Amino acid sequence: MLSCLRRAAAPLTSKPFLLPMNCKKIAQEVYDLASSNDPLAPMIKEALQVIDQGLDTHGQDAVSISFNGGKDCTVLLHLYAGALANRLTPGQPMKPIPAIYIPVPSPFPVLETFIEDMATTYNLDLFRCFSPSEQVESVVTPPNLPAKDYLERPRAVGKAKGAEGMRQALEAYKRKFPHISAVLLGTRRSDPHGATLSHRNMTDNGWPRFERINPIINWSYGDVWTFLRQLKVPYCSLYDQGYTSLGSTFNTFPNPALLIESPSTPHLESQPSASSVISPATALTSVMSTTHNLPQLPEKEMLSPTGVLSGYISSAHTLPTTNGYYASQPEPSSPNVWRMSGVPEPRYRPAYELLDGNLERSGRGLTSGLRTNA
């Protein structure tokens, strides 16, 4: 059974180190940048106009923002806070911002913490909608994951692609808040299914009736990071560890295009082509260049480039702990390629140093039918 848990903006006494954003200051900075000669100005101006049009159509109380902690919806949240503050009359207080969060299976703990922090910082009236029996994105069964860990962690159900879980979560949200008629989304054209969308689209037949408003649909990967860094907007620390697109811990890895080379690491181009990033044969060649023998994988995987790539990626994957520090992923049951070759665990440059936005999702697993982008 689906459920929605309310997480209203926390009182300041619960997290004294977190202070609410000065939304009037945000509005000043955002609108000043939009009216400047900055290269990003046209994109910001367009996004603010789309937000204002949505507010004019539906009214603030009927508009919610989808916030999953990713870089795109973080940009959108900052823009939306500025747009709302810009509409206030002198002395008028800022209302809590209606927001919805639909978790993916096995989310990163540090991302969950970031979402909670932003709910306090931006005064979000945040509702977490989830289903214990359905998924909102497909996940690949992690290679070499011990059976006990696999049974205890969420996983994909059958061949579902996640749409059903997402639809049911939105139905539950609509039942709880029937007055919400529009949802702001951080979708961009490079996202799955984003190419055919416009700034404003109604949900498909069979889905709860919402207008989907996409203010940053025309933004590029570079635009997102230019905005976040230029305005010093807080973002999830995973992006500083080489992650460029966030999903489940099962299928989200540091982006190979951001690997920091050292004399002892297998050679990978700093900005490889898309084909070299996702090619199992390429990974096999890299590993073989530093080892004389094939990794001692199970016999059925002995000659499989995909098997080697699984070990290559899983060894590079880091998982956050609840205190914000990072630890290596628990060693898989079969030998670890990096340990066997004596190569130190790789390090990655931050997400904003990715030069080719087409490689944004290169860290999202070997195969994925992901429906939620970050």
Side-chain angles (χ1 to χ4, degrees):
M1 180 178 179
L2 283 160
S3 60
C4 290
L5 298 181
R6 181 169 185 167
R7 193 281 188 202
L12 294 182
T13 54
S14 66
K15 287 189 176 182
F17 58 93
L18 288 177
L19 296 175
M21 283 284 189
N22 183 337
C23 291
K24 275 293 189 182
K25 181 180 178 182
I26 292 176
Q28 186 69 48
E29 292 176 345
V30 166
Y31 280 88
D32 283 351
L33 188 56
S35 60
S36 71
N37 293 322
D38 190 280
L40 195 58
M43 308 303 295
I44 297 174
K45 185 176 181 180
E46 177 185 73
L48 291 171
Q49 288 175 343
V50 173
I51 291 172
D52 281 329
Q53 290 167 3
L55 289 170
D56 290 341
T57 299
H58 299 274
Q60 180 181 346
D61 293 339
V63 176
S64 180
I65 182 171
S66 176
F67 186 70
N68 63 7
K71 61 187 182 304
D72 302 327
C73 58
T74 299
V75 166
L76 179 60
L77 177 59
H78 201 74
L79 288 168
Y80 189 42
L84 290 174
N86 191 59
R87 299 166 75 95
L88 297 176
T89 59
Q92 183 180 3
M94 186 88 166
K95 294 181 179 179
I97 301 174
I100 178 175
Y101 167 45
I102 304 177
V104 299
S106 187
F108 287 88
V110 71
L111 182 62
E112 294 270 283
T113 299
F114 175 74
I115 291 170
E116 290 295 306
D117 289 347
M118 292 303 96
T120 297
T121 302
Y122 286 88
N123 195 23
L124 300 184
D125 189 3
L126 183 67
F127 286 80
R128 175 192 297 253
C129 286
F130 65 92
S131 168
S133 61
E134 298 287 345
Q135 306 298 336
V136 297
E137 70 168 1
S138 296
V139 294
V140 179
T141 302
N144 305 321
L145 188 68
K148 178 177 180 293
D149 289 349
Y150 176 68
L151 292 174
E152 291 178 352
R153 299 178 73 177
R155 58 194 186 280
V157 179
K159 296 181 179 179
K161 298 253 183 223
E164 181 62 17
M166 179 72 75
R167 184 183 65 80
Q168 292 185 13
L170 290 175
E171 284 179 344
Y173 189 61
K174 189 69 169 181
R175 285 194 300 269
K176 185 77 173 179
F177 306 101
H179 64 283
I180 297 292
S181 57
V183 179
L184 291 166
L185 301 167
T187 304
R188 293 185 291 113
R189 294 214 182 277
S190 59
D191 295 339
H193 313 291
T196 60
L197 296 178
S198 62
H199 285 119
R200 301 174 69 172
N201 302 92
M202 293 303 298
T203 48
D204 298 334
N205 292 333
W207 285 65
R209 296 293 289 172
F210 292 105
E211 182 176 34
R212 296 171 292 172
I213 302 177
N214 307 300
I216 63 170
I217 189 70
N218 292 324
W219 288 41
S220 69
Y221 179 86
D223 292 335
V224 167
W225 281 111
T226 298
F227 181 88
L228 290 173
R229 301 191 71 217
Q230 192 161 323
L231 293 183
K232 297 181 174 58
V233 180
Y235 58 83
C236 181
S237 62
L238 286 173
Y239 291 114
D240 287 331
Q241 309 298 318
Y243 294 83
T244 53
S245 178
L246 304 181
S248 167
T249 60
F250 287 161
N251 54 23
T252 303
F253 304 91
N255 194 318
L258 293 173
L259 179 67
I260 298 175
E261 290 189 49
S262 69
S264 60
T265 55
H267 176 72
L268 282 179
E269 297 176 9
S270 60
Q271 288 292 336
S273 66
S275 59
S276 67
V277 169
I278 64 175
S279 167
T282 299
L284 177 61
T285 301
S286 297
V287 173
M288 288 296 291
S289 68
T290 58
T291 59
H292 296 291
N293 301 307
L294 281 171
Q296 299 302 306
L297 296 169
E299 183 176 353
K300 65 181 180 179
E301 298 180 13
M302 185 67 74
L303 300 177
S304 166
T306 302
V308 176
L309 180 59
S310 296
Y312 177 91
I313 292 182
S314 65
S315 66
H317 187 197
T318 56
L319 292 176
T321 59
T322 53
N323 63 6
Y325 293 94
Y326 294 83
S328 297
Q329 184 180 14
E331 187 167 286
S333 55
S334 62
N336 183 290
V337 172
W338 291 106
R339 176 171 55 83
M340 289 173 55
S341 65
V343 177
E345 188 167 338
R347 295 181 299 114
Y348 296 84
R349 300 194 303 277
Y352 52 80
E353 292 189 13
L354 183 68
L355 301 181
D356 186 352
N358 293 322
L359 301 178
E360 176 182 356
R361 298 177 66 83
S362 295
R364 290 296 287 268
L366 300 179
T367 58
S368 59
L370 303 174
R371 301 301 296 260
T372 303
N373 185 65

